[in-house]
């Protein structure tokens, strides 16, 4: 039998039962569509997480204060609750640890900031010059906090784009203007490039000021909130983590490592755990959608079995006029695969539209990868073959004598 | 042409063996019009299935055009059916929702012919079977019983078979239409030289053939020449055999 005849027969017999074919295809459309949508949501989330971790900087160790524990007390104030790290700790790390590229201590607080009648509540980071390089902060206009600003304890500020928008409006150039918080005026010297992000941890909603200024006028001591340490390479990070732990334990005079008053986070560990969370999310979503695809496949099998029963006499006749088992098998397989293939095309379109709608109205990043589209096609064709094979096999093994007399 | 030697067919249902055919032997020569007649349960349908290579004998040999097809595999038998045998069934077995021409061309699809060649041969077969050209593109469910059986006959002719097997071809037709269909078979035999084996339980119908084999309880009890029944169309029985 020729391919063209096979295709013609397939379409004629599918068209002869439009409603049933349509409903069966619908099952596959929903299955494939939901797989595409769910995977795009999962991959979008994973992409968001990955890019926000990458935006932190590369080869990064973050040393932050640990639990505060008074002498002889068992009450813990919670992680980060203590102010145990000092500028001297940061300098010691820079001087004594092998493999350090740069050290950027930071002091963090929040303040109500005003400028020309507008006001907002935002994060204030006291930083030094290396911070920009260590944490991947890029400058859009003006300059970042410099060594000189720190040396002179200058009242200057670098604004994140979200702060600029909140205080000065979109597309405004605030360089040279002043903002006010903690009863002090700060001159704006730079604006950073937007990194994207939203909600509580918006890295654009930040004001950077010199660390020395913050310590002098805001905190009044030499404590720092966090020490960002950039290693020379990824490979050195694990050893650096061990060395910094030993150094700080010694400096803080703590013998038992379990009582350490600081903690170190390795960026690679964060990235790995976050991407494994995102991967799990994607798998979870995909398997929920996969169930509907499976149900769609069973729908195909159900329809094909019904069709085989209905067309028993036709199968008998075809065998009587010379159709081989293979001819019958391929005919019914072709019908099943055509159904799933059509369903696959419509399903990809539906999934695409759905994920665009999710992006637009759900405010969630979605990412349609060509791989998931190809995979969906492959899966739908495979479903056609798998779920179509049994009915086709049943048709092919029908005894022509019985099939011809089937009522 | 057709040679059956000691054909035995035994069906097994669990432990019980039923012998349907007990050592049947006969020959059909090219151009013959043979009727196999017998009451129901005589084994004539089983014999027809074996002749049509829809079934294989339990033992014995069946030579079709010199080849012993008794031991062929399913796919080899399908090839034999495709090239050498044309079936006409009692219940027509036409594809619904398909035109007369499409039905006739079906065997040629499996023979791998092009559409144009198929349609040409399909039309030729339909005209030989006596269906008016105005019906070629009608759907089969729009046709009368007699017209449907003509389509079925055309389908049996289209692959130019060595032998046409007709299983109770008049069983679903009224007497008048049945006569017309039998006359068509006679024409195909007398004028066009087709070898026809007709299976029936009606003696009236068997009378159209020029040889009648009677089967009873799985054996041939009579094999005789028959002076064929005079057919309605004047002069047709006087025509020379081709």
């Amino acid at each position: 039998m020729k391919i063209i005849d096979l295709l013609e027969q397939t379409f004629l017999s599918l068209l002869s039962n439009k409603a049933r074919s349509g409903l069966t295809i619908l099952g596959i459309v929903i299955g494939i569509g939901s797989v595409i949508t769910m995977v795009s949501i999962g991959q979008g989330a994973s992409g968001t997480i990955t890019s926000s971790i990458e935006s932190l900087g590369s080869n990064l160790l973050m040393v932050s204060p640990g639990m505060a524990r008074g002498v002889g007390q068992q009450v813990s104030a919670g992680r980060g609750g203590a102010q145990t790290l000092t500028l001297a700790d940061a300098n010691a790390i820079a001087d004594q640890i092998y493999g350090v590229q740069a050290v950027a201590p930071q002091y963090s607080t929040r303040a109500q900031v005003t400028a020309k009648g507008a006001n907002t509540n935002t994060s204030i980071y006291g930083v030094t010059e290396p911070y920009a390089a260590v944490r991947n902060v890029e400058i859009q206009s003006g300059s970042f906090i410099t060594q000189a600003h720190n040396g002179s304890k200058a009242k200057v500020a670098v604004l994140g784009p979200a702060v600029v928008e909140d205080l000065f409006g979109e597309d405004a150039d605030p360089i040279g203007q002043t903002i006010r918080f903690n009863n002090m005026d700060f001159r704006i010297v730079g604006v950073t490039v937007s990194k994207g992000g939203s909600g509580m941890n918006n890295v654009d909603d930040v004001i950077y000021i010199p660390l020395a200024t913050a310590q002098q006028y805001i905190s009044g001591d030499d404590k720092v909130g966090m020490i960002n340490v950039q290693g020379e390479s990824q490979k050195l990070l694990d050893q650096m983590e061990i060395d910094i732990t030993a150094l700080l334990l010694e400096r803080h005079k703590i013998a038992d490592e379990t009582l350490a008053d600081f903690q170190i986070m390795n960026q690679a560990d964060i990235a790995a755990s976050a991407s494994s969370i995102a991967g799990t999310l994607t798998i979870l979503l995909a398997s929920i959608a996969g169930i509907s695809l499976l149900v769609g496949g069973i729908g195909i099998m159900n329809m094909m079995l019904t069709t085989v029963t209905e067309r028993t006499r036709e199968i008998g006749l075809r065998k009587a006029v010379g159709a081989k088992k293979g001819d019958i098998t391929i005919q019914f397989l072709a019908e099943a695969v055509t159904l799933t293939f059509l369903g696959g095309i419509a399903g990809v379109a539906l999934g695409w539209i759905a994920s665009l709608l999710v992006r637009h109205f759900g405010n969630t990043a979605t990412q349609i990868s060509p791989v998931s589209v190809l995979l969906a096609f492959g899966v739908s064709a495979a479903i056609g073959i798998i779920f179509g094979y049994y009915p086709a096999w049943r048709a092919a093994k029908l005894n022509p004598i019985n099939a011809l007399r089937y009522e | 042409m057709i040679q059956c030697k000691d054909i035995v067919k035994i069906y097994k249902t669990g432990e019980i063996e039923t012998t349907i055919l007990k050592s049947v032997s006969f020959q059909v020569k090219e151009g013959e019009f043979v009727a196999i007649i017998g009451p129901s349960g005589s084994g004539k349908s089983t014999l027809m299935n074996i002749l049509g290579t829809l079934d294989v004998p339990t033992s014995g040999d069946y030579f079709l055009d010199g080849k012993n097809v008794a031991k062929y595999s399913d796919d080899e038998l399908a090839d034999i059916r495709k090239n050498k045998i044309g079936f006409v069934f009692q219940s027509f077995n036409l594809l619904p929702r398909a035109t007369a021409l499409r039905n006739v061309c079906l065997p040629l699809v499996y023979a791998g012919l092009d559409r144009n060649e198929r349609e040409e041969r399909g039309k030729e077969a339909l005209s030989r079977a006596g269906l008016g050209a105005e019906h070629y593109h009608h759907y089969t469910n729009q046709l009368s019983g007699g017209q449907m059986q003509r389509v079925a006959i055309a389908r049996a002719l289209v692959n130019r078979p060595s032998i046409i097997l007709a299983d109770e071809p008049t069983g679903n037709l009224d007497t008048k239409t049945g006569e017309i269909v039998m006359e068509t078979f006679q024409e195909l035999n007398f004028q066009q030289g087709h070898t026809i084996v007709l299976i029936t339980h009606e003696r009236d119908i068997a009378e159209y053939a020029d040889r009648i084999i009677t089967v009873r309880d799985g054996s041939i009890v009579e094999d005789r020449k028959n002076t064929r029944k005079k057919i309605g169309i004047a002069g047709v029985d006087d025509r020379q055999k081709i």
Side-chain angles (χ1 to χ4, degrees):
Chain A
M1 184 152 59
K2 293 190 169 164
I3 299 285
I4 180 88
D5 296 322
L6 181 67
L7 290 177
E8 189 190 1
Q9 276 185 4
T10 302
F11 278 98
L12 281 177
S13 63
L14 291 181
L15 284 177
S16 71
N17 240 317
K18 288 190 197 75
R20 195 160 69 191
S21 303
L23 287 171
T24 313
I25 287 174
L26 190 61
I28 293 293
V29 170
I30 291 169
I32 294 283
S34 52
V35 166
I36 299 249
T37 313
M38 294 299 188
V39 170
S40 80
I41 291 172
Q43 291 195 328
S46 140
T48 309
I49 292 168
T50 312
S51 73
S52 70
I53 287 168
E54 278 170 358
S55 74
L56 292 178
S58 50
N59 303 337
L60 195 61
L61 290 176
M62 285 174 282
V63 186
S64 52
M67 299 176 202
R69 235 185 264 265
V71 178
Q73 285 186 352
Q74 291 301 311
V75 180
S76 169
R79 282 166 191 263
Q83 294 280 343
T84 57
L85 298 172
T86 62
L87 196 54
D89 287 333
N91 292 334
I93 291 169
D95 293 342
Q96 295 174 33
I97 302 296
Y98 171 76
V100 173
Q101 171 99 12
V103 174
Q106 82 181 77
Y107 168 84
S108 317
T109 187
R110 287 189 79 83
Q112 198 71 26
V113 183
T114 58
K116 285 184 177 175
N119 75 95
T120 183
N121 187 291
T122 186
S123 299
I124 312 291
Y125 288 175
V127 297
T128 54
E129 190 175 351
Y131 186 91
V134 172
R135 293 297 294 263
N136 264 355
V137 178
E138 285 170 47
I139 288 296
Q140 183 186 310
S141 63
S143 68
F144 196 66
I145 304 295
T146 63
Q147 195 70 45
H149 290 144
N150 262 295
S152 61
K153 295 181 178 122
K155 287 180 184 165
V156 293
V158 174
L159 269 54
V163 180
V164 174
E165 193 183 324
D166 291 345
L167 295 177
F168 299 99
E170 229 169 316
D171 297 328
D173 181 13
I175 306 256
Q177 307 204 44
T178 57
I179 52 172
R180 186 173 178 82
F181 59 91
N182 287 32
N183 295 320
M184 287 175 284
D185 286 327
F186 286 78
R187 187 168 51 86
I188 298 167
V189 295
V191 176
T192 64
V193 170
S194 173
K195 285 183 172 190
S198 56
M200 291 298 287
N201 273 322
N202 191 343
V203 288
D204 292 341
D205 190 10
V206 164
I207 294 172
Y208 302 98
I209 60 173
L211 177 62
T213 312
Q215 289 180 328
Q216 174 83 26
Y217 299 111
I218 299 176
S219 73
D221 57 29
D222 68 341
K223 304 289 189 213
V224 295
M226 199 194 320
I227 303 172
N228 301 289
V229 182
Q230 187 174 36
E232 282 169 0
S233 80
Q234 179 90 40
K235 283 178 289 188
L236 292 172
L237 289 185
D238 287 342
Q239 185 57 43
M240 284 170 63
E241 193 175 340
I242 294 166
D243 293 348
I244 292 170
T245 306
L247 176 71
L248 290 182
L249 286 173
E250 191 199 321
R251 286 179 59 84
H252 294 185
K253 302 188 169 51
I254 297 166
D256 186 352
E257 198 178 325
T258 58
L259 295 176
D261 58 358
F262 58 89
Q263 55 188 344
I264 302 178
M265 283 190 295
N266 187 330
Q267 189 210 13
D269 295 346
I270 301 170
S273 63
S275 72
S276 96
I277 291 168
T280 311
L281 178 75
T282 306
I283 291 168
L284 176 76
L285 292 174
S287 45
I288 292 169
I291 290 169
S292 67
L293 193 54
L294 183 73
V295 172
I298 292 169
I300 294 270
M301 177 134 88
N302 188 20
M303 170 185 167
M304 291 311 297
L305 282 174
T306 312
T307 307
V308 168
T309 308
E310 273 183 1
R311 286 159 63 188
T312 298
R313 279 166 71 97
E314 178 194 323
I315 293 161
L317 171 77
R318 286 176 184 275
K319 286 191 144 191
V321 300
K324 294 184 176 145
K325 274 186 180 168
D327 293 326
I328 302 291
T329 308
I330 201 84
Q331 184 188 344
F332 283 90
L333 261 188
E335 285 183 26
V337 171
T338 305
L339 285 176
T340 52
F341 194 72
L342 292 176
I345 292 173
V348 167
L350 181 79
W352 203 298
I353 292 166
S355 76
L356 289 179
L357 289 178
V358 166
R359 187 185 304 172
H360 195 252
F361 293 108
N363 222 350
T364 306
T366 59
Q367 195 174 325
I368 299 163
S369 62
V371 176
S372 74
V373 172
L374 283 179
L375 195 70
F377 267 119
V379 164
S380 65
I383 279 179
I385 291 169
I386 292 166
F387 288 95
Y389 189 78
Y390 174 64
W393 173 79
R394 287 245 308 225
K397 83 174 173 86
L398 282 174
N399 178 336
I401 301 165
N402 298 336
L404 281 165
R405 283 175 176 68
Y406 183 83
E407 294 298 333
Chain B
M1 166 111 293
I2 285 183
Q3 190 178 11
C4 293
K5 269 190 189 166
D6 305 323
I7 296 236
V8 174
K9 184 70 189 180
I10 298 167
Y11 281 113
K12 265 190 185 171
T13 320
E15 291 294 297
I16 305 153
E17 286 190 355
T18 318
T19 307
I20 307 290
L21 294 175
K22 306 167 189 165
S23 190
V24 172
S25 301
F26 66 97
Q27 280 190 25
V28 177
K29 291 194 196 70
E30 196 172 343
E32 272 193 295
F33 185 179
V34 183
I36 296 176
I37 188 167
S40 45
S42 60
K44 64 179 192 304
S45 287
T46 305
L47 186 57
M48 145 104 183
N49 290 337
I50 290 171
L51 291 179
T53 72
L54 290 168
D55 205 350
V56 288
T58 311
S59 71
D61 296 315
Y62 170 30
F63 292 94
L64 183 61
D65 288 342
K67 286 180 195 138
N68 188 356
V69 301
K71 303 285 181 242
Y72 274 25
S73 71
D74 282 356
D75 280 354
E76 287 169 329
L77 291 177
D79 270 335
I80 296 290
R81 292 196 293 271
K82 182 162 75 189
N83 298 319
K84 296 190 178 295
I85 293 163
F87 286 98
V88 179
F89 301 102
Q90 176 177 356
S91 45
F92 321 136
N93 279 309
L94 298 176
L95 299 182
R97 296 183 297 265
T99 62
L101 187 58
R102 200 178 154 73
N103 265 283
V104 172
C105 293
L106 184 66
L108 301 180
V109 169
Y110 292 106
L113 265 62
D114 286 337
R115 170 181 288 274
N116 289 341
E117 201 176 345
R118 288 205 302 261
E119 295 202 340
E120 201 174 298
R121 278 174 64 170
K123 284 174 183 168
E124 182 200 327
L126 278 166
S127 89
R128 282 170 169 229
L131 187 76
E134 69 275 17
H135 299 302
Y136 289 1
H137 294 285
H138 284 172
Y139 286 90
T140 48
N141 49 11
Q142 299 169 324
L143 300 176
S144 70
Q147 286 165 339
M148 286 203 270
Q149 198 57 300
R150 283 182 192 279
V151 174
I153 291 168
R155 186 181 59 200
L157 292 174
V158 79
N159 57 350
R160 298 172 183 159
S162 306
I163 166 175
I164 294 170
L165 289 173
D167 184 12
E168 304 276 11
T170 58
N172 279 8
L173 301 174
D174 60 67
T175 316
K176 181 73 193 141
T177 316
E179 277 173 16
I180 294 168
V181 165
M182 288 319 296
E183 283 163 17
T184 308
F185 277 116
Q186 282 192 328
E187 274 189 54
L188 290 173
N189 176 248
F190 299 154
Q191 290 186 299
Q192 300 172 22
H194 287 284
T195 311
I196 297 171
V197 176
L198 169 75
I199 311 281
T200 184
H201 65 279
E202 290 177 83
R203 187 148 294 273
D204 279 358
I205 297 299
E207 290 295 332
Y208 284 91
D210 48 17
R211 179 179 162 199
I212 299 177
I213 297 174
T214 310
V215 181
R216 190 165 293 140
D217 297 332
S219 303
I220 292 176
V221 294
E222 191 187 38
D223 186 349
R224 64 171 172 88
K225 290 269 172 211
N226 180 48
T227 311
R228 57 185 189 277
K229 189 172 182 175
K230 197 176 171 76
I231 60 176
I233 303 162
V236 166
D237 52 344
D238 296 321
R239 286 175 191 163
Q240 290 292 308
K241 274 194 181 184
I242 298 159

